[in-house]
Amino acid sequence: MQTGPLRILFATSECAPLVKTGGLGDVSAALPAALAALGVDARILLPGYRKVLAQLPGCREIARFAASAALPGSRLLETRMASGVPLYLLDCPELYDRPGGPYQDEAGDGWADNALRFGQLSRVAALLGSVRNPLDWQPQVIHCNEWQTGLTPAYLHYAAGARAATLQTIHNLAFQGIFEAGLVAALGLPPSSFGPDGAEYYGKLSFLKAGLQFADAITTVSPGYALEIQREPLGFGLQGLLTARKDCLYGILNGIDTGLWNPATDTLIAFTYSADTLAAKAGNKRALQQRLGLAPAPDLPLFGVVSRLTAQKGLDWLLEIAPQLLALPGQLALLGGGDPELERGFLALTRDRDKHMSTTIGFDEGLAHLIEAGADAFLMPSRFEPCGMNQMYSQRYGTPPIVRATGGLADTVVDCTAATLADGSASGFVFQEASAAALLATVERAACAWRDQASWRALQRNGMARDFGWEASARRYAAIYARLAKNR
Ligand code: ADP
Ligand code: GLC
């Protein structure tokens, strides 16, 4: 019989604001906090990257782990998130004490030892879920996220004695953590783990496949994506396995941190506002135009983008149609980084049209908030999107999103039509076809709708009234944890 609150270890490679490259960072901070609000004893395990330890002086050492196979010895440090959620940091200088990002060096190349870096994270999470846990706190369920913790269920599967249950969450199936087969021994996994029913994927070692194979349950970040990944092309080769495991595969929509992303209290924007004071939003548009050197034109629709620049996000279509968007006339403010070709493309186009188009390459939390508040509409034309956070932030900021009907975008945005305006559900603009032409047609539709200020206000208010908070989804996770813990 279980007594006391459910004990969950949330193992992750990102956690905002300490380290974030995308939505995983947001989710890893907000979901454990939402679980804590429901009475779950959720604790986070994160690598002690140099940048993270520098932000958290005064962590306390609570355990040491010996080296194993090619994985060096490490220490576990303890502190707390600002939310109060306990945070365990895995300190292993050989693997994490270096400049650059969590996955890549400063030049943007993946770290050559990523298999060891995240094998170590996976292994320590598994140790904490096994009888070898040295702490006075023992998780009942380990919640693994992405391939970076995909080996945890595999390590636990082969561990002796009682063990915690495991839940593997897929945030993006395009990233699977595939490495050379020779690493199986270096990571201290038994040779028997490397088979078609284990961590082997076409002769290579797949961290994510191991997680999907051995976890007690699987979740992904929207109901729509949970269906899409059971087929080609979005199954990315794992559709067979996911279909075979569909009885324990759940699509649970991400929530947003409604404290952090609240236009009424946001300290990163120029003017706070709410659905009742939407006129104040115009001040943010002015501030954004001024900050980016755009012409201070209130009468042109300003389209915003905050995104990783990758093929996933469909921004090559935006690059293609940007001249027509500007010729509407309209303005475009883009913040992002990633694919060098896309970076160069947007920068080159901006050079000729700098009064109406701005490209900021880099990661800038403050500018991201100001774009959400200052743009008239937000562009997210993704080819695929497991969940997506920005379309939810946009709706909360009265900045209707323009999205393609895929994954979490289709689940969270209601296309603006006469019918959805009439029934009060319209909250953005949705297009089906994966093409630049379909994006352009939808941008034109949005610009036209923007000219009708009365219905635009209604669209903004509908989005702002929607509840994208974490509570309902955190309850669904808690129910799965409870079931897994009971079956252990
Ligand atoms: P993904 O995780 O696929 O990149 P999401 O929409 O789930 O996409 O989450 C992206 C998160 O990262 C959002 O919080 C977004 O605001 C943030 N983000 C992305 N690029 C930047 C950037 N260049 N500067 C600041 N924030 C960014
Ligand atoms: C991934 C997905 C994104 C999702 C995020 C958080 O990065 O690309 O759609 O919102 O994870 O789950």
Side-chain angles (χ1 to χ4, degrees):
M1 263 317 266
Q2 182 227 323
T3 53
L6 268 169
R7 299 180 305 276
I8 309 302
L9 183 70
F10 192 92
T12 181
S13 57
E14 298 186 22
C15 191
L18 300 167
V19 52
K20 161 173 164 181
T21 70
L24 175 63
D26 293 349
V27 171
S28 299
L31 173 55
L35 289 164
L38 298 177
V40 174
D41 181 359
R43 306 189 180 190
I44 300 168
L45 173 68
L46 179 74
Y49 306 112
R50 176 187 288 183
K51 191 182 133 197
V52 167
L53 292 182
Q55 294 171 73
L56 297 167
C59 300
R60 194 168 65 92
E61 177 185 314
I62 52 167
R64 280 178 184 241
F65 302 105
S68 158
L71 298 171
S74 58
R75 305 191 300 155
L76 201 63
L77 310 178
E78 183 186 49
T79 180
R80 273 179 198 276
M81 300 290 292
S83 61
V85 170
L87 171 65
Y88 295 130
L89 292 165
L90 178 58
D91 182 33
C92 182
E94 287 98 314
L95 300 178
Y96 309 129
D97 182 16
R98 49 180 85 167
Y103 316 123
Q104 299 173 334
D105 62 20
E106 284 165 313
D109 295 318
W111 296 112
D113 57 352
N114 271 341
L116 296 181
R117 297 174 75 242
F118 297 108
Q120 177 82 316
L121 178 64
S122 298
R123 183 182 71 107
V124 168
L127 274 172
L128 295 177
S130 76
V131 292
R132 294 170 61 201
N133 179 330
L135 310 181
D136 56 9
W137 181 84
Q138 184 100 36
Q140 294 162 290
V141 180
I142 313 235
H143 186 156
C144 304
N145 292 275
E146 297 288 70
W147 71 263
Q148 286 87 352
T149 47
L151 289 189
T152 301
Y155 282 117
L156 276 173
H157 180 81
Y158 294 101
R163 65 171 183 91
T166 50
L167 172 67
Q168 174 72 46
T169 295
I170 302 166
H171 294 264
N172 191 339
L173 205 54
F175 303 113
Q176 299 186 3
I178 295 179
F179 299 97
E180 290 308 320
L183 284 159
V184 172
L187 290 163
L189 282 168
S192 56
S193 67
F194 192 69
D197 293 335
E200 187 254 358
Y201 183 72
Y202 293 104
K204 304 239 176 177
L205 164 65
S206 167
F207 276 47
L208 184 64
K209 185 178 167 224
L212 300 178
Q213 195 78 54
F214 293 116
D216 298 301
I218 301 169
T219 64
T220 189
V221 291
S222 69
Y225 193 61
L227 296 176
E228 289 172 347
I229 57 178
Q230 293 179 49
R231 312 185 285 265
E232 285 183 320
L234 293 186
F236 283 100
L238 293 173
Q239 58 277 359
L241 171 55
L242 289 165
T243 304
R245 297 215 64 192
K246 68 168 189 279
D247 290 344
C248 59
L249 165 63
Y250 309 89
I252 305 180
L253 194 69
N254 284 339
I256 65 171
D257 182 330
T258 50
L260 214 57
W261 293 93
N262 180 359
T265 54
D266 193 333
T267 53
L268 298 172
I269 64 179
F271 297 91
T272 53
Y273 59 95
S274 69
D276 299 326
T277 58
L278 263 173
K281 190 177 187 303
N284 291 298
K285 180 171 177 177
R286 249 185 342 267
L288 181 61
Q289 286 166 326
Q290 192 174 18
R291 169 157 176 190
L292 299 177
L294 296 171
D299 55 333
L300 298 185
L302 171 53
F303 296 85
V305 181
V306 179
S307 184
R308 289 186 293 118
L309 300 181
T310 67
Q312 176 194 339
K313 302 292 180 180
L315 294 171
D316 48 324
W317 297 326
L318 177 62
L319 186 58
E320 200 178 320
I321 64 130
Q324 285 108 305
L325 180 156
L326 298 171
L328 281 170
Q331 293 185 330
L332 178 60
L334 176 137
L335 165 65
D339 178 351
E341 203 176 315
L342 281 172
E343 290 184 359
R344 275 195 298 276
F346 279 105
L347 285 170
L349 196 62
T350 303
R351 267 195 289 281
D352 305 333
R353 321 182 191 238
D354 59 350
K355 283 283 165 277
H356 292 298
M357 176 169 173
S358 157
T359 296
T360 309
I361 301 298
F363 201 91
D364 186 333
E365 196 72 36
L367 183 55
H369 283 244
L370 188 59
I371 290 177
E372 288 291 5
D376 292 303
F378 191 90
L379 288 162
M380 220 165 154
S382 305
R383 283 193 167 74
F384 67 94
E385 196 62 72
C387 179
M389 307 301 286
N390 277 310
Q391 81 284 6
M392 296 191 276
Y393 301 151
S394 303
Q395 288 172 77
R396 189 154 165 80
Y397 279 65
T399 306
I402 298 172
V403 305
R404 199 172 89 74
T406 181
L409 298 177
D411 288 344
T412 54
V413 183
V414 179
D415 188 36
C416 179
T417 64
T420 57
L421 268 178
D423 70 18
S425 61
S427 68
F429 299 86
V430 184
F431 63 99
Q432 302 287 332
E433 195 187 281
S435 73
L439 170 60
L440 177 60
T442 312
V443 165
E444 288 169 350
R445 188 155 67 87
C448 185
W450 181 75
R451 301 261 166 227
D452 176 357
Q453 277 297 306
S455 41
W456 191 263
R457 277 276 186 269
L459 190 62
Q460 290 177 296
R461 291 207 172 99
N462 292 345
M464 294 178 91
R466 294 186 65 181
D467 176 11
F468 288 117
W470 263 108
E471 190 184 329
S473 295
R475 280 191 197 285
R476 292 201 56 201
Y477 279 106
I480 296 175
Y481 300 148
R483 204 160 55 238
L484 294 179
K486 194 162 144 237
N487 294 343
R488 261 287 112 226

